[in-house]
Amino acid sequence: MTTEFRHNVTLNLAKPNVRANFRKAMDGLMSRRLDQFPDKAELERLRTQSMAIRANALSKLPELLEQLETNLTRNGIHVHWAETPDEANHIVLAILQQHNAKSLIKGKSMVSEEMGMNHFLEGHGIDCLESDLGEFIIQLAQEPPSHIVAPAIHKSRQDVAKLFNEKFPDIPYTENIDELTQAARRILRDKFYAAPVGISGVNFAVAETGTLCLVENEGNGRMSTTVPKVHIAVTGIEKVVEKLSDVPPLLSILTRSATGQPITTYFNMISSPRKPGEKDGPEEVHLVLLDNGRSNIYSDPELLATLRCIRCGACMNHCPVYTRIGGHSYGTVYPGPIGIILEPQKAGLDVHGELTQASTLCGACGEVCPVRIPIPTLINRLRYDGVRKDASTTVGTGSRRKTGEAAAWKSWAWAASHPAIYNFGAKTATRLHGLFPSNMGAWTNVRSAPQLAEQTLHERLKAMGVDHE
Amino acid sequence: MATRPDTIYFFGTCLIDLMYPQAGVSAMQLIQREGVNVIFPQAQTCCGQPAWNSGYRDEARTVARAQIALFPKPIPVVIPSGSCAGMMKVHYPELFANQPDEAQALDVAGRVYELTEFLVDVLQIELKDLGEPVKVAVHTSCSSRREMGVADKIESLLGQLSNVKRVEQIRKAECCGFGGTFAVKQPEISASIVLEKVETIRATQADRLVGQDAGCLMNIGGAMEKQGDAIPHQHIAEFLWERTGGVA
């Protein structure tokens, strides 16, 4: 049976230029990250420190969210709670309607992708414009992001040049990156001044001080959050940290893990709307805190580690599967290793459980994760939840159990726990090795058929008289 | 560092049993040549990893339970595979958590060594190269590298062989795309990964590919054989045994 995922994979594997774009980009990101951590021991220390900060925040999540709300409110920031993407969208829409806003400008936000915000608002006659260069590009191409940090990473310079030429015929064709960037910058600049509302994500929400932190490189985040009259930030409930002093270590490991930068060009700390006498800043600031399945993830002591994620994307940069198939194959907002643990938990194993198979369990993701999320362990856990017979809190538990497969594993377990049966089977197989099919389906598409030995190790050692107890 | 034992248990793994028995024999001979007695419990089958990685934990435990019963003495369990060693050392404690035989599983897990780790760290083996000059590329399995943390052991063993020149493929630490059942469940992705791995290994112009995991070797070797003009591949145990005279 060809599933949507398998279909996407086949399609994307057959695009040599897209594969080359990913390979080149991921190689670059990996080597830049490596350059930032010359001292392995220091890196491991920082990972543990960052994990501790995130784990601490999660251990007190309900209290910290209350504290965050109290402090944000005291600072003059309106706090809204949304259980579902739909609720979050309606909250945003209501704010827009209060201000008679017909357009908005957005900084990069994966939670807004989770909400399907642009699609929803456009359905209500609101014009949404992405201002992050990568997001701007894929919005022009009408594509979803293919990477959580670098959304247009699947496109080459030439792809972007062609796209700009098609969408903005007035601008002379160029493949020069600086010229393309400048063109986008000119287009966006006017939009910033015209937009009544700016949208952003949040990287860290500090409970202690009621501060929203935003990490970015282009200045569009600062523009989106300071120029329009109203700023609406959207984020997941897990983004809270306890103290302001938690931020510097997380920020440092985030930017180094993500893009190999010691720090980004911009780091914004938003702590209130414009105060009397201040020359810039929005008159109104809102924060929408989205749950969308996070509370359920939180309820499992093992799976809650998923929520430590600081969205650096290092797991995808280092993933042999992601690098080959690209972000669009996953068919979800979050691709790559973090996506294959997060999305099946959010939507249910019945919906996205197949993605848990999109891993060789090589461990590269877990090795680079700056907050030490044991991604391979959680993949294994979700595979278990998918086929287990008893209950668990994971949505869609047991939904991937298929009678035939379950029976096959049962027979296998029976044979492999009865040595006489196993040895008989092994011996028979090796005796018949000449009759083994040379066409073994998918395996032999690119490989020769495995050659069974003429005698098993068991037989040879017995013949050699090795102690066998 | 563990003290040098008189006797060890050898767990041959099912892949070596069926596909690469010579690697198993060589591994045992290397250990025996060092004056260590080897016990091969004939009732051994598989570590249970295929079921474990597929989410079938009860089935994995049934098979694993039959294995842990085979290693009662307080002596090392040596495994010529990072993957199967990782299963026993890292995942048995998870698989048997809160089970009646948890203590037994933990006891076995604590005594597990991957072969190259055992040769280097415990036996402190000294090798004398008797072979002709040869260029060798190493593929280190992800489980040896990340789960067992023993990627440096195979390198140090090869480093002792004076006529062996190690050549290094680019992206050496990247997975070969085998992943056990992954190769079957996601054959297209697996194929795309292994074909790139083959390309990088061929580019080194190595005469031989060695590794410490039969699964990776079967995957990479099989892909090269399908293309033709394959670089011969060998399990590290077999290679070391051959290079150092091969006499017990």
Side-chain angles (χ1 to χ4, degrees):
Chain A
M1 193 186 73
T2 300
T3 59
E4 193 191 334
F5 174 65
R6 291 288 293 280
H7 171 79
N8 292 344
V9 163
T10 311
L11 207 72
N12 286 315
L13 284 175
K15 295 178 184 164
N17 55 335
V18 174
R19 280 185 58 187
N21 292 346
F22 272 104
R23 177 81 269 178
K24 193 175 157 206
M26 297 307 113
D27 281 349
L29 287 166
M30 284 193 288
S31 96
R32 284 206 292 276
R33 173 187 173 274
L34 204 58
D35 290 345
Q36 286 296 321
F37 298 110
D39 182 343
K40 179 96 168 66
E42 173 68 358
L43 167 61
E44 297 312 319
R45 192 189 67 75
L46 291 172
R47 290 175 70 219
T48 302
Q49 180 189 22
S50 305
M51 167 186 165
I53 293 170
R54 291 296 300 137
N56 169 63
L58 292 175
S59 73
K60 322 175 179 168
L61 188 63
E63 298 93 302
L64 291 185
L65 284 170
E66 270 181 44
Q67 193 190 358
L68 178 72
E69 181 176 27
T70 306
N71 287 330
L72 284 169
T73 309
R74 196 196 56 214
N75 293 348
I77 296 176
H78 303 275
V79 179
H80 311 264
W81 301 88
E83 196 172 329
T84 62
D86 192 51
E87 280 178 35
N89 279 325
H90 278 99
I91 291 167
V92 173
L93 179 65
I95 300 168
L96 288 159
Q97 285 169 342
Q98 271 170 28
H99 293 271
N100 287 318
K102 292 287 172 216
S103 70
L104 56 81
I105 194 152
K106 284 177 71 192
K108 195 172 149 22
S109 154
M110 287 308 293
V111 168
S112 77
E113 297 289 339
E114 227 177 297
M115 293 159 58
M117 184 195 279
N118 293 7
H119 179 77
F120 173 87
L121 292 178
E122 276 158 12
H124 287 84
I126 313 274
D127 194 22
C128 304
L129 181 70
E130 296 287 348
S131 67
D132 172 88
L133 184 57
E135 293 282 351
F136 179 73
I137 292 166
I138 58 166
Q139 190 180 28
L140 286 178
Q142 296 183 296
E143 290 172 8
S146 62
H147 187 285
I148 64 169
V149 172
I153 200 93
H154 56 292
K155 293 208 177 291
S156 67
R157 178 161 53 98
Q158 290 78 9
D159 295 336
V160 176
K162 275 184 221 138
L163 182 69
F164 273 45
N165 193 239
E166 184 193 314
K167 301 287 177 183
F168 310 111
D170 298 347
I171 302 170
Y173 182 87
T174 174
E175 290 182 4
N176 180 299
I177 292 174
D178 280 342
E179 288 172 20
L180 288 166
T181 308
Q182 287 310 319
R185 190 187 170 90
R186 280 192 302 276
I187 295 162
L188 287 168
R189 184 58 54 144
D190 290 339
K191 305 281 187 182
F192 280 118
Y193 294 124
V197 172
I199 302 271
S200 78
V202 174
N203 290 93
F204 316 111
V206 185
E208 177 188 45
T209 52
T211 308
L212 307 177
C213 303
L214 190 58
V215 181
E216 51 136 352
N217 270 316
E218 298 169 14
N220 68 307
R222 183 159 301 175
M223 294 287 280
S224 304
T225 57
T226 55
V227 180
K229 212 173 84 176
V230 179
H231 167 214
I232 307 171
V234 293
T235 197
I237 54 168
E238 83 283 16
K239 286 291 177 66
V240 68
V241 295
E242 184 177 13
K243 304 184 296 283
L244 201 58
S245 60
D246 290 339
V247 173
L250 282 185
L251 172 63
S252 169
I253 205 161
L254 168 64
T255 62
R256 290 197 277 172
S257 301
T259 49
Q261 292 173 281
I263 190 164
T264 42
T265 320
Y266 290 83
F267 178 64
N268 308 286
M269 302 177 82
I270 299 153
S271 43
S272 77
R274 183 192 297 211
K275 290 176 186 152
E278 285 181 347
K279 287 186 175 152
D280 58 9
E283 289 167 20
E284 242 181 75
V285 180
H286 297 264
L287 174 69
V288 181
L289 285 156
L290 175 65
D291 187 313
N292 195 22
R294 289 163 171 83
S295 292
N296 192 52
I297 298 173
Y298 186 72
S299 68
D300 182 283
E302 183 178 30
L303 293 168
L304 89 86
T306 313
L307 301 176
R308 290 209 292 260
C309 179
I310 55 172
R311 305 285 189 261
C312 71
C315 59
M316 48 201 82
N317 301 345
H318 290 75
C319 177
V321 173
Y322 173 89
T323 302
R324 301 308 183 302
I325 67 176
H328 288 161
S329 293
Y330 295 80
T332 50
V333 171
Y334 301 93
I338 187 63
I340 72 173
I341 60 169
L342 180 59
E343 297 286 3
Q345 294 188 72
K346 272 169 46 201
L349 287 160
D350 45 335
V351 179
H352 285 312
E354 186 188 9
L355 295 181
T356 61
Q357 303 298 332
S359 168
T360 66
L361 299 177
C362 75
C365 51
E367 185 180 35
V368 297
C369 177
V371 289
R372 293 191 190 276
I373 301 172
I375 299 177
T377 304
L378 299 187
I379 293 171
N380 184 289
R381 163 63 194 278
L382 291 170
R383 288 181 182 178
Y384 169 53
D385 284 354
V387 299
R388 66 198 279 184
K389 286 182 287 186
D390 58 342
S392 86
T393 53
T394 312
V395 185
T397 292
S399 63
R400 295 189 51 78
R401 190 177 181 89
K402 295 185 193 85
T403 318
E405 194 185 59
W409 282 117
K410 224 182 171 79
S411 314
W412 170 85
W414 180 76
S417 56
H418 290 81
I421 306 295
Y422 169 87
N423 281 326
F424 177 75
K427 198 171 154 178
T428 311
T430 53
R431 288 304 174 279
L432 299 174
H433 75 282
L435 300 175
F436 238 60
S438 60
N439 183 345
M440 295 176 61
W443 175 270
T444 44
N445 282 343
V446 298
R447 307 172 190 86
S448 60
Q451 296 291 309
L452 283 174
E454 290 178 17
Q455 264 196 324
T456 65
L457 180 66
H458 280 79
E459 293 176 89
R460 290 188 56 179
L461 296 179
K462 213 170 197 169
M464 285 167 64
V466 171
D467 281 357
H468 55 267
E469 302 213 332
Chain B
M1 199 156 292
T3 49
R4 197 183 174 89
D6 297 329
T7 307
I8 60 128
Y9 287 120
F10 190 75
F11 184 79
T13 83
C14 56
L15 263 186
I16 284 185
D17 192 34
L18 291 167
M19 309 282 178
Y20 297 90
Q22 186 54 49
V25 172
S26 301
M28 292 183 47
Q29 286 172 322
L30 279 167
I31 296 167
Q32 286 171 330
R33 193 172 62 188
E34 294 300 302
V36 176
N37 185 39
V38 177
I39 302 171
F40 181 82
Q42 276 280 340
Q44 62 181 271
T45 58
C46 167
C47 64
Q49 193 193 60
W52 164 254
N53 281 348
S54 300
Y56 285 86
R57 293 194 178 177
D58 292 340
E59 289 76 5
R61 201 178 296 112
T62 300
V63 174
R65 187 164 278 145
Q67 313 311 309
I68 55 174
L70 305 173
F71 309 114
K73 295 182 191 169
I75 54 174
V77 180
V78 179
I79 307 181
S81 157
S83 176
C84 312
M87 178 67 198
M88 288 197 180
K89 187 171 174 169
V90 180
H91 301 303
Y92 275 14
E94 299 165 18
L95 186 59
F96 284 91
N98 305 314
Q99 296 289 320
D101 38 8
E102 184 177 5
Q104 193 184 3
L106 287 171
D107 171 48
V108 171
R111 289 185 274 127
V112 164
Y113 291 86
E114 184 273 332
L115 174 71
T116 61
E117 174 191 22
F118 183 73
L119 294 176
V120 173
D121 289 351
V122 182
L123 296 187
Q124 298 173 340
I125 196 168
E126 283 175 24
L127 300 168
K128 189 167 160 45
D129 193 1
L130 304 173
E132 295 296 308
V134 64
K135 270 198 292 189
V136 170
V138 180
H139 174 74
T140 307
S141 69
C142 298
S143 39
S144 289
R145 182 180 295 279
R146 303 196 178 91
E147 204 158 77
M148 295 294 292
V150 299
D152 55 326
K153 309 305 175 194
I154 189 169
E155 306 289 347
S156 95
L157 290 166
L158 291 168
Q160 290 190 38
L161 303 177
S162 51
N163 270 340
V164 170
K165 181 175 182 237
R166 276 173 291 156
V167 288
E168 199 151 289
Q169 64 275 28
I170 58 164
R171 301 185 203 104
K172 184 173 179 176
E174 191 178 73
C175 179
C176 72
F178 177 58
T181 52
F182 174 81
V184 180
K185 294 212 169 193
Q186 301 294 339
E188 299 87 2
I189 308 174
S190 176
S192 71
I193 301 175
V194 74
L195 292 177
E196 275 184 52
K197 181 60 78 185
V198 164
E199 204 180 304
T200 59
I201 292 169
R202 284 194 189 278
T204 64
Q205 300 189 310
D207 305 312
R208 191 83 55 99
L209 170 70
V210 301
Q212 64 281 71
D213 270 81
C216 315
L217 291 172
M218 187 173 80
N219 182 40
I220 304 170
M224 287 201 283
E225 280 160 16
K226 177 88 175 187
Q227 292 175 341
D229 195 23
I231 296 170
H233 66 273
Q234 226 173 7
H235 190 277
I236 183 66
E238 204 177 332
F239 181 75
L240 293 179
W241 181 246
E242 258 182 39
R243 296 292 301 185
T244 56
V247 261

